[in-house]
């Protein structure tokens, strides 16, 4: 079996799909039974259907934005149909891996099997990571400034818990910033020097076992850097604007769900978006696949202030709309995509992919 195919099948194994589902469902059930909130599920009948439809529309628009971005980054090498495959499988990979890991390795293989050379595939995946992280790095201080500290939740939290939350945010933000600026230096400034630094670092005794990996990673950085040279202003403008668009849509979807259950003022909309930004920066260091379980548990503290008795309902709807569909869609897209890029082989087709 092709090594890349083996990697794909291993990464998308049934057990890796079941783990986040079980964690998410367990956390959701606990939210409802801990304070006997099962009866609150009836509150779904009180929702404003127009806002719920708006949330679904925002989801579709967001994914269309992701398709536009990856197609634009590849200089339209990918068709719209292929872009849909890439985004669905990329979201699938992200849903079944911890947020801190993400689906970058799988995304590189996916792009490569779509016919994009390995160096370019690496470049595009690394570039999306840099663009996404730069959005966090720039947007977070703006959110803190505009909300004047109200962005951190205090609802149902002890002062010590608020302090821990702030520490988690600042640690996550610092890690994102350090990683991103190292990647910028490696990709756009001195890729060869970065490779040299990796090799020097792994020449130390206890780090020698990673020397081969460091050599390979250094080469990957140099390949990726070479592919990104000479891109014009329009290329970077499309990349940056589409990144701002998709992340803004991702955050506004929650605004739609909250507005479906309660009246939200313009200033509260701004606060919800700002708090959602902080929420996901903290969640980036979550150790569970797709933040499953952790997101459900932390959600009421961040957004319960706006929702009251509808808090548990909205977190369920939020995950049903933004998370679980990608587990289902990924399972649908994966077999077709594998058949397309690897071809069907009699023996392998018997495997329950």
């Amino acid at each position: 079996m092709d090594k890349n195919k083996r990697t794909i099948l291993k990464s998308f194994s049934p057990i890796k799909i079941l783990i986040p589902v079980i964690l998410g469902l367990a956390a959701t059930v606990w939210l409802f039974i801990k304070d006997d909130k099962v009866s609150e599920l009836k509150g779904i009948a009180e929702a404003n259907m127009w806002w719920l439809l708006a949330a679904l529309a925002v989801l579709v628009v967001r994914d269309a934005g992701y398709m536009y971005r990856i197609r634009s980054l590849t200089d339209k090498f990918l068709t719209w149909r292929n872009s849909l495959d890439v985004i669905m499988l990329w979201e699938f990979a992200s849903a079944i891996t911890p947020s801190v890991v993400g689906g970058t390795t799988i995304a590189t293989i996916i792009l490569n099997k779509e016919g994009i050379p390995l160096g370019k595939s690496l470049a595009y995946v690394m570039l999306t990571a840099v663009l996404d992280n730069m959005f966090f790095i720039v947007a977070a201080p703006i959110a803190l400034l505009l909300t004047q500290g109200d962005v951190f939740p205090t609802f149902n939290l002890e002062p010590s818990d608020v302090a821990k939350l702030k520490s988690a945010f600042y640690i996550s933000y610092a890690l994102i910033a350090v990683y991103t600026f190292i990647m910028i230096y490696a990709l756009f400034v001195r890729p060869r020097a970065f490779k040299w630094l990796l090799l020097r670092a792994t020449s130390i005794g206890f780090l020698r076992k990673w020397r081969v990996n460091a050599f390979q990673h250094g080469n990957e950085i140099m390949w990726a850097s070479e592919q990104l040279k000479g891109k014009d202003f329009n290329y970077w403008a499309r990349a940056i604007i589409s990144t701002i668009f998709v992340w803004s849509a991702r955050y506004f979807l929650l605004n739609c769900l909250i507005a479906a259950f309660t009246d939200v003022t313009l200033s509260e909309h701004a606060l919800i978006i700002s708090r959602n930004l902080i929420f996901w920066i903290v969640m980036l260091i979550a150790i569970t696949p797709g933040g499953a379980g952790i997101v459900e548990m932390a959600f009421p503290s961040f957004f319960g202030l706006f929702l009251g008795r509808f808090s548990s309902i909205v977190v369920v709807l939020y995950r049903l709309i933004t998370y679980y569909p990608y587990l289902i869609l990924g399972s649908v897209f994966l077999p077709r995509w594998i058949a397309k890029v690897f071809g069907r082989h009699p023996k392998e087709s018997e495997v329950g992919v």
Side-chain angles (χ1 to χ4, degrees):
M1 184 186 291
D2 185 289
K3 182 180 178 181
N4 284 337
K5 184 175 182 179
R6 192 161 52 245
T7 301
I8 290 285
L9 294 178
K10 182 179 179 181
S11 300
F12 293 140
S13 65
I15 188 65
K16 289 192 174 182
I17 300 172
L18 284 174
I19 288 174
V21 171
I22 292 171
L23 288 173
L25 290 178
T28 300
V29 170
W30 184 82
L31 282 174
F32 281 100
I33 66 174
K34 69 168 184 172
D35 295 318
D36 193 24
K37 293 183 176 181
V38 176
S39 60
E40 293 183 7
L41 286 172
K42 297 178 182 178
I44 189 69
E46 300 177 39
N48 182 316
M49 295 306 297
W50 290 110
W51 275 113
L52 292 181
L53 289 174
L56 293 174
V58 169
L59 181 68
V60 172
V61 169
R62 184 201 74 176
D63 284 348
Y66 275 123
M67 290 167 58
Y68 171 83
R69 183 173 72 162
I70 194 62
R71 189 165 184 263
S72 180
L73 291 181
T74 61
D75 290 314
K76 297 185 178 180
F77 178 88
L78 294 176
T79 64
W80 285 107
R81 180 65 182 83
N82 291 345
S83 297
L84 176 63
D85 287 340
V86 169
I87 294 304
M88 289 299 105
L89 292 175
W90 199 333
E91 289 286 339
F92 186 32
S94 297
I96 61 175
T97 53
S99 301
V100 70
V101 176
T104 52
T105 301
I106 300 303
T108 301
I109 296 176
I110 292 170
L111 289 175
N112 183 227
K113 297 308 295 184
E114 286 289 351
I116 298 173
L118 180 60
K120 287 188 175 182
S121 297
L122 285 164
Y124 300 144
V125 172
M126 290 179 183
L127 181 56
T128 58
V130 169
L131 288 168
D132 290 342
N133 289 346
M134 281 303 299
F135 177 86
F136 300 143
I137 291 169
V138 173
I142 295 174
L144 290 172
L145 181 64
L146 293 179
T147 59
Q148 299 180 346
D150 289 338
V151 71
F152 292 106
T154 57
F155 182 72
N156 284 345
L157 292 176
E158 297 293 331
S160 59
D161 294 328
V162 176
K164 291 176 183 177
L165 180 61
K166 289 182 178 180
S167 296
F169 164 74
Y170 288 119
I171 290 171
S172 182
Y173 182 85
L175 291 174
I176 293 170
V178 170
Y179 170 78
T180 303
F181 289 122
I182 288 175
M183 287 299 297
I184 290 174
Y185 175 81
L187 280 174
F188 303 110
V189 183
R190 299 282 299 279
R192 189 173 295 276
F194 178 74
K195 177 183 176 181
W196 180 84
L197 288 172
L198 287 178
L199 294 176
R200 288 290 294 175
T202 52
S203 65
I204 302 171
F206 70 96
L207 294 177
R208 282 185 180 276
K209 62 181 178 180
W210 288 295
R211 190 169 179 79
V212 173
N213 289 337
F215 179 79
Q216 180 180 349
H217 191 56
N219 283 339
E220 290 172 351
I221 289 289
M222 292 179 63
W223 297 340
S225 176
E226 191 65 30
Q227 303 303 321
L228 295 174
K229 287 182 178 178
K231 299 296 184 183
D232 59 20
F233 173 81
N234 289 334
Y235 181 89
W236 293 110
R238 290 193 300 270
I240 293 169
I241 292 172
S242 59
T243 298
I244 294 172
F245 175 82
V246 295
W247 280 103
S248 298
R250 180 183 285 267
Y251 293 139
F252 188 66
L253 187 150
L254 179 58
N255 288 61
C256 294
L257 288 179
I258 292 176
F261 290 90
T262 184
D263 293 329
V264 182
T265 65
L266 185 60
S267 61
E268 286 175 332
H269 271 296
L271 179 58
I272 291 168
I273 291 176
S274 299
R275 191 166 284 186
N276 203 357
L277 173 65
I278 302 302
F279 177 65
W280 278 108
I281 288 178
V282 174
M283 289 299 106
L284 282 174
I285 58 176
I287 60 173
T288 59
I294 298 177
V295 170
E296 287 83 355
M297 300 290 287
F299 187 92
S301 295
F302 273 84
F303 305 106
L305 174 67
F306 307 100
L307 289 164
R309 67 187 179 91
F310 297 114
S311 181
S312 298
I313 297 174
V314 171
V315 69
V316 171
L317 287 175
Y318 182 61
R319 293 299 267 177
L320 282 175
I321 292 174
T322 65
Y323 182 64
Y324 293 109
Y326 293 106
L327 295 176
I328 298 171
L329 289 171
S331 301
V332 172
F333 275 77
L334 181 62
R336 297 176 181 178
W337 181 81
I338 287 177
K340 179 184 75 172
V341 301
F342 292 101
R344 293 188 180 275
H345 301 285
K347 292 183 179 179
E348 292 174 3
S349 63
E350 296 173 4
V351 180
V353 178

